[in-house]
Amino acid sequence: MHYPDSFSRITQVMKSSLIRELVASTKNIPDLISFAGGFPSPATFPTQQLAELFEEVIKNGGSDVLQYGASEGDILLKKQLMQWEGYELKPEEMVITVGATNAIYYYARCLINPGDVILCEAPSFLGTLVTFDAIEADCQSVPINDEGIIIEELEEKVKILHQQGKNIKFLYIIPDFHNPAGITYSLQRRKEIIQFCIDNNIPILEDNPYSRLRFYGEPVPTFYQVARTDFAPTNIVTEIVSFSKILGPGLRIAYAKGDKELIEKMVSWQQKVTITPDCVAERAVARFLEKGLMDTHLKYIAEYYRPYLQKMLDELEKQMPPEVQWTKPEGGIFLWLTLPEYINADELFVEASKHKVSFIPGSKFYPEGQEKFNTLRLNFTYSTFEQIEQGIRSLAELLKEKIK
Amino acid sequence: MHYPDSFSRITQVMKSSLIRELVASTKNIPDLISFAGGFPSPATFPTQQLAELFEEVIKNGGSDVLQYGASEGDILLKKQLMQWEGYELKPEEMVITVGATNAIYYYARCLINPGDVILCEAPSFLGTLVTFDAIEADCQSVPINDEGIIIEELEEKVKILHQQGKNIKFLYIIPDFHNPAGITYSLQRRKEIIQFCIDNNIPILEDNPYSRLRFYGEPVPTFYQVARTDFAPTNIVTEIVSFSKILGPGLRIAYAKGDKELIEKMVSWQQKVTITPDCVAERAVARFLEKGLMDTHLKYIAEYYRPYLQKMLDELEKQMPPEVQWTKPEGGIFLWLTLPEYINADELFVEASKHKVSFIPGSKFYPEGQEKFNTLRLNFTYSTFEQIEQGIRSLAELLKEKIK
């Protein structure tokens, strides 16, 4: 039988992640310097400790961790997470999931009927945009500046969408060391957005995989924290935290914190989609936290990544023509370049591949039809110093040729 | 904000697993003998071996297994699975998922538009029925007998549904040691169903968590195998195999085999829902197979469970009044009782709880509105011999009182 004929409507039109295709397209180029990926460096994985903890949790608790777990997540991990977060939180305000995308998927399933609007940043994380597409949401993007979404633009967008009779279901935000833009929301901007969303009854989905990857400066409280302290009582923010960038993506452990009734429905979705997250990995992460290993480990990661960020910032400063601008993050894993408007980064991508350097063109980070083409994303955590120096030089040379 | 007001339509009406609620309702009864669950016995988990393998795969391959994996599943595990299956299979005909429900979910997402029909057995596995509900499928059940779905009933059902202009998308089947009915399809019935489905262009989803749990008799080839050998070339069957009942559900590892184009779309869904299954667990299972541990382990499980199945069959024979009938499976973890038509097992459940014995009423295993009430499911893998003896005696006494 010919399956494509009977695929569901959404399966027929669903897009795959363009990043994977782009990365695949350069796979066979020898000696390619790639700033394209979003992978953490394996040097930051606490391999030895995790190897021992996995062995320990199976040996000492095999009958428990090898058995079916709870759909809401392991209660022992929840206890550790509540302590780690450092503020009062109830187990029923939390669900553990198979990575952050999984939590985002359940959240969106809870709220979205086909055609409903999700407000997102321009640019936003491509992986999430394709997930929202698969749920048949209408993603509408709002421009950001160095401090986050521009409030006036947000107001204007919401006004227009209401005039069009659209149903706005939530605002999707990446608060710290933004993927792809590298920016971090200012405290002031966080407050303004929360106030606006309360006034307009728009829930906020805060996707926070990077805030613990801070190499310089002082942390800013998350939207979730700001809402709790400055706007209590409000349940408007749901925050998603992932261990992918701080322990290892292969573990597939993340969690969401938010309104009890909403979390209950996310759990109900999890029951139908995976039944429960991986119980062995849950317990190993619980033990990692319980043994107090996280603080030291986060300091180690910061020490490890800081020179790479610094190296890339230095090289950009040294090599790039004055017409090119970039964000200067204090952590995370990405930088965002803005080129003169007449340079198309999609075309640059093809030429750069020939010069053995790769990145992700910025156009991939906008909902379809809302693209900007003079931007690109650079990752600095998966290359050597030499590669960063050489890669940025090649890119700068290419750009100098193009700049009039 | 009041979230329930903005829940998506399906989230508002979605059911949770009634089994969990039933089990929860008897949780505080002291000394309850429960035949209700569907959990494997922890005594069958290869705890020591898995503890060592998890340690080994992280220690020796941490930079790999702690990193993002492939959305289609670990290629090393695929290689082992292809060898284990013992017949030619290409990696692109296979996707590894977070347990079997996860594979079933992606399969259904690939094919179902809201309102499309899924044909299932009467009775069928409740967990899957609630998953199909969440995808807004219209589940239509077809009666089974000791050899599987009754062909005449299937023909009749398909005829009526076509007359109603319904879109039949696939047939969902549990081929061996059926949950809940305990039956195994005969080879003849398998062939008849495949022929019927080819003639009517209806794909078959074969959910196969139990076929390796055979304690007596000879294995019957799976629908997938029969289709390949007797009906080649056909891509009509997709088979899902889980490690939950043979290694441990906590690992969350299963896989689907089927048509390449269909598998590709399942992978595309996985990319949007979890990105990738748990890479550490994938590799540990790969090593378990590579080291040749599975055969011995499966023999051990069969040895371990056989006396419990035998004990329950013996006690039923000894205690039950002649009006009660039950299936006599050669493996798996469940038995299915049929009571006289005038006895309602939902009511019996409440009374039995008071007599400190529990089971799942059969009505829970049918799509809504298609229930039968004079049946019940018994699990024999989670009780001691004494509990089986005492529990079946209590149940038999209750039934004797009710039988006129």
Side-chain angles (χ1 to χ4, degrees):
Chain A
M1 78 168 279
H2 187 242
Y3 280 99
D5 296 339
S6 54
F7 284 157
S8 61
R9 280 187 303 274
I10 183 64
T11 301
Q12 290 188 25
V13 300
M14 196 161 72
K15 282 169 282 190
S16 70
S17 165
L18 293 164
I19 292 190
R20 289 202 170 223
E21 282 169 29
L22 274 182
V23 171
S25 77
T26 59
K27 210 176 69 176
N28 295 321
I29 302 176
D31 304 321
L32 179 82
I33 296 172
S34 177
F35 306 131
F39 283 20
S41 169
T44 64
F45 301 156
T47 306
Q48 185 61 35
Q49 291 164 329
L50 287 175
E52 283 163 21
L53 289 177
F54 269 85
E55 193 200 13
E56 177 205 300
V57 300
I58 297 177
K59 213 168 242 169
N60 298 344
S63 63
D64 197 12
V65 299
L66 295 173
Q67 190 55 278
Y68 284 107
S71 289
E72 61 271 23
D74 180 29
I75 186 67
L76 295 186
L77 176 53
K78 280 192 180 185
K79 277 184 188 156
Q80 291 305 320
L81 293 173
M82 289 184 279
Q83 229 171 326
W84 188 46
E85 292 283 9
Y87 46 79
E88 210 194 312
L89 206 58
K90 302 192 188 82
E92 60 269 29
E93 294 171 327
M94 195 182 257
V95 54
I96 297 160
T97 59
V98 182
T101 295
N102 196 220
I104 292 169
Y105 180 78
Y106 297 142
Y107 179 91
R109 277 276 172 227
C110 284
L111 297 178
I112 297 296
N113 290 311
D116 283 350
V117 168
I118 299 172
L119 294 168
C120 65
E121 297 145 325
S124 184
F125 173 47
L126 172 69
T128 304
L129 294 182
V130 297
T131 294
F132 290 158
D133 268 353
I135 300 178
E136 300 178 77
D138 175 5
C139 291
Q140 293 290 333
S141 63
V142 184
I144 58 175
N145 61 19
D146 276 357
E147 291 187 61
I149 276 190
I150 302 164
I151 289 285
E152 296 72 29
E153 299 266 7
L154 180 61
E155 285 168 351
E156 183 62 18
K157 179 67 95 176
V158 167
K159 203 174 117 192
I160 292 170
L161 289 166
H162 280 155
Q163 281 166 357
Q164 293 171 344
K166 297 273 190 178
N167 206 354
I168 303 174
K169 278 305 183 67
F170 63 89
L171 169 62
Y172 171 66
I173 272 183
I174 303 159
D176 294 72
F177 314 127
H178 188 279
N179 178 7
I183 64 130
T184 292
Y185 279 71
S186 67
L187 181 58
Q188 181 56 27
R189 189 68 57 86
R190 289 173 202 238
K191 289 182 183 170
E192 287 165 9
I193 288 173
I194 293 169
Q195 187 61 60
F196 176 84
C197 286
I198 288 175
D199 293 345
N200 289 273
N201 209 31
I202 300 173
I204 298 170
L205 177 60
E206 179 179 31
D207 180 11
N208 184 14
Y210 305 114
S211 75
R212 270 100 177 169
L213 288 183
R214 177 172 279 283
F215 321 142
Y216 299 104
E218 285 304 309
V220 189
T222 64
F223 278 79
Y224 186 79
Q225 286 170 299
V226 174
R228 284 172 65 107
T229 25
D230 294 21
F231 297 88
T234 177
N235 56 3
I236 206 151
V237 181
T238 305
E239 184 191 350
I240 294 171
V241 180
S242 166
F243 286 100
S244 288
K245 302 300 190 291
I246 56 181
L247 283 182
L251 301 174
R252 312 308 303 127
I253 299 286
Y255 60 102
K257 296 172 286 178
D259 176 83
K260 204 171 69 173
E261 287 184 275
L262 179 65
I263 294 290
E264 192 188 333
K265 289 295 183 184
M266 290 175 70
V267 171
S268 186
W269 272 105
Q270 179 145 275
Q271 201 183 81
K272 285 150 189 86
V273 177
T274 66
I275 301 186
T276 154
D278 181 307
C279 311
V280 186
E282 282 183 300
R283 196 61 63 82
V285 174
R287 284 289 291 146
F288 192 86
L289 291 167
E290 194 181 6
K291 291 184 81 175
L293 300 171
M294 189 56 96
D295 278 357
T296 318
H297 179 61
L298 288 177
K299 274 180 207 134
Y300 168 77
I301 299 183
E303 298 290 326
Y304 182 87
Y305 279 150
R306 192 184 297 121
Y308 292 92
L309 168 59
Q310 196 54 57
K311 177 73 177 170
M312 192 171 267
L313 287 171
D314 291 349
E315 291 300 321
L316 286 167
E317 193 64 47
K318 211 185 295 178
Q319 311 277 2
M320 282 292 161
E323 291 83 356
V324 175
Q325 298 185 313
W326 57 92
T327 49
K328 292 158 187 79
E330 297 181 321
I333 66 176
F334 299 116
L335 289 173
W336 182 249
L337 263 64
T338 305
L339 314 174
E341 293 245 347
Y342 55 84
I343 300 185
N344 182 317
D346 288 43
E347 294 168 19
L348 187 70
F349 172 83
V350 180
E351 292 173 62
S353 304
K354 291 178 194 151
H355 290 77
K356 296 187 183 299
V357 59
S358 187
F359 54 83
I360 305 290
S363 65
K364 308 304 168 205
F365 298 99
Y366 300 83
E368 209 177 325
Q370 303 169 45
E371 293 91 347
K372 291 194 79 174
F373 291 93
N374 64 324
T375 52
L376 61 90
R377 187 188 79 175
L378 298 177
N379 166 271
F380 57 83
T381 59
Y382 214 72
S383 309
T384 62
F385 292 135
E386 294 67 31
Q387 286 171 329
I388 291 175
E389 190 170 326
Q390 177 59 42
I392 296 298
R393 189 188 306 132
S394 301
L395 205 54
E397 280 166 12
L398 253 175
L399 281 167
K400 281 174 196 162
E401 282 172 30
K402 291 184 155 291
I403 285 168
K404 296 158 194 168
Chain B
M1 80 167 279
H2 188 242
Y3 280 100
D5 297 340
S6 54
F7 284 157
S8 62
R9 279 187 304 273
I10 183 63
T11 300
Q12 290 189 25
V13 300
M14 195 162 71
K15 282 169 283 190
S16 70
S17 165
L18 293 163
I19 292 191
R20 289 201 170 223
E21 281 167 30
L22 274 181
V23 171
S25 77
T26 59
K27 209 176 67 177
N28 295 320
I29 301 176
D31 305 322
L32 179 83
I33 295 171
S34 177
F35 306 131
F39 283 20
S41 169
T44 65
F45 301 155
T47 306
Q48 185 61 36
Q49 290 165 330
L50 287 175
E52 282 163 21
L53 289 176
F54 269 86
E55 192 201 14
E56 177 204 300
V57 300
I58 299 177
K59 213 169 244 171
N60 299 345
S63 63
D64 197 10
V65 298
L66 296 173
Q67 190 56 277
Y68 284 107
S71 288
E72 61 271 21
D74 181 29
I75 186 68
L76 296 186
L77 177 52
K78 281 191 178 184
K79 277 183 186 156
Q80 291 305 320
L81 294 173
M82 289 185 279
Q83 227 170 331
W84 187 48
E85 292 284 9
Y87 45 79
E88 209 193 314
L89 206 58
K90 301 192 187 82
E92 60 269 29
E93 293 172 325
M94 194 182 258
V95 54
I96 298 160
T97 59
V98 183
T101 296
N102 196 221
I104 292 169
Y105 180 79
Y106 296 143
Y107 179 90
R109 276 277 172 226
C110 283
L111 298 177
I112 297 296
N113 290 312
D116 283 351
V117 168
I118 299 172
L119 295 167
C120 65
E121 297 145 325
S124 184
F125 173 46
L126 171 70
T128 303
L129 295 183
V130 297
T131 293
F132 290 159
D133 269 354
I135 299 177
E136 300 178 78
D138 175 5
C139 291
Q140 292 289 332
S141 61
V142 184
I144 58 174
N145 61 19
D146 276 357
E147 292 187 64
I149 277 190
I150 301 164
I151 289 286
E152 297 72 28
E153 299 266 7
L154 180 61
E155 286 169 351
E156 183 62 19
K157 177 68 95 177
V158 167
K159 203 174 117 191
I160 292 169
L161 288 166
H162 279 156
Q163 281 166 357
Q164 292 171 345
K166 296 274 190 178
N167 206 353
I168 302 174
K169 278 305 182 70
F170 64 89
L171 169 63
Y172 171 67
I173 273 184
I174 303 160
D176 293 74
F177 314 126
H178 188 279
N179 178 6
I183 64 132
T184 292
Y185 279 71
S186 66
L187 181 58
Q188 180 58 26
R189 189 68 56 87
R190 288 174 202 237
K191 288 182 183 170
E192 287 164 11
I193 288 172
I194 292 170
Q195 187 61 62
F196 177 84
C197 285
I198 288 175
D199 294 344
N200 288 273
N201 210 30
I202 300 173
I204 298 171
L205 177 60
E206 179 180 34
D207 180 13
N208 183 15
Y210 305 115
S211 76
R212 270 99 178 170
L213 289 183
R214 176 171 280 282
F215 321 142
Y216 298 104
E218 285 302 310
V220 190
T222 63
F223 278 80
Y224 186 80
Q225 285 170 299
V226 174
R228 284 172 65 106
T229 23
D230 293 22
F231 297 88
T234 176
N235 57 2
I236 206 152
V237 181
T238 305
E239 183 191 352
I240 294 172
V241 179
S242 167
F243 287 99
S244 288
K245 303 298 190 292
I246 56 180
L247 284 182
L251 300 175
R252 312 307 304 126
I253 299 286
Y255 60 102
K257 296 173 287 179
D259 176 83
K260 204 171 70 173
E261 286 183 275
L262 179 64
I263 294 290
E264 190 187 335
K265 289 294 182 184
M266 290 175 69
V267 171
S268 187
W269 272 105
Q270 179 145 276
Q271 199 182 85
K272 284 148 190 90
V273 176
T274 66
I275 301 185
T276 155
D278 181 308
C279 313
V280 186
E282 282 182 300
R283 196 60 64 82
V285 174
R287 284 289 290 146
F288 193 88
L289 290 167
E290 193 181 7
K291 291 184 80 176
L293 300 171
M294 189 58 94
D295 278 357
T296 319
H297 179 61
L298 288 176
K299 275 181 205 132
Y300 168 76
I301 299 183
E303 299 290 328
Y304 182 87
Y305 279 150
R306 192 184 297 119
Y308 292 92
L309 169 60
Q310 197 54 57
K311 177 73 178 168
M312 192 169 266
L313 287 170
D314 291 349
E315 291 300 321
L316 286 166
E317 193 65 44
K318 211 185 294 176
Q319 311 277 1
M320 281 294 161
E323 292 83 355
V324 175
Q325 299 184 314
W326 56 92
T327 48
K328 292 160 186 77
E330 297 180 322
I333 66 175
F334 299 116
L335 289 173
W336 183 248
L337 263 64
T338 306
L339 315 174
E341 292 245 346
Y342 55 86
I343 299 185
N344 181 317
D346 288 44
E347 292 168 12
L348 187 70
F349 172 82
V350 179
E351 292 174 62
S353 303
K354 290 177 194 152
H355 290 77
K356 295 186 183 300
V357 58
S358 186
F359 54 81
I360 304 290
S363 65
K364 308 304 170 206
F365 298 99
Y366 300 84
E368 210 178 326
Q370 303 169 46
E371 293 91 348
K372 291 193 80 176
F373 290 93
N374 63 324
T375 52
L376 60 89
R377 187 188 79 176
L378 298 177
N379 165 270
F380 58 82
T381 58
Y382 214 71
S383 308
T384 63
F385 293 136
E386 294 68 30
Q387 286 170 330
I388 291 174
E389 190 171 327
Q390 175 59 41
I392 295 299
R393 189 187 306 131
S394 302
L395 205 54
E397 280 166 11
L398 251 176
L399 282 166
K400 282 173 194 161
E401 282 172 30
K402 291 185 153 289
I403 285 169
K404 297 157 192 169

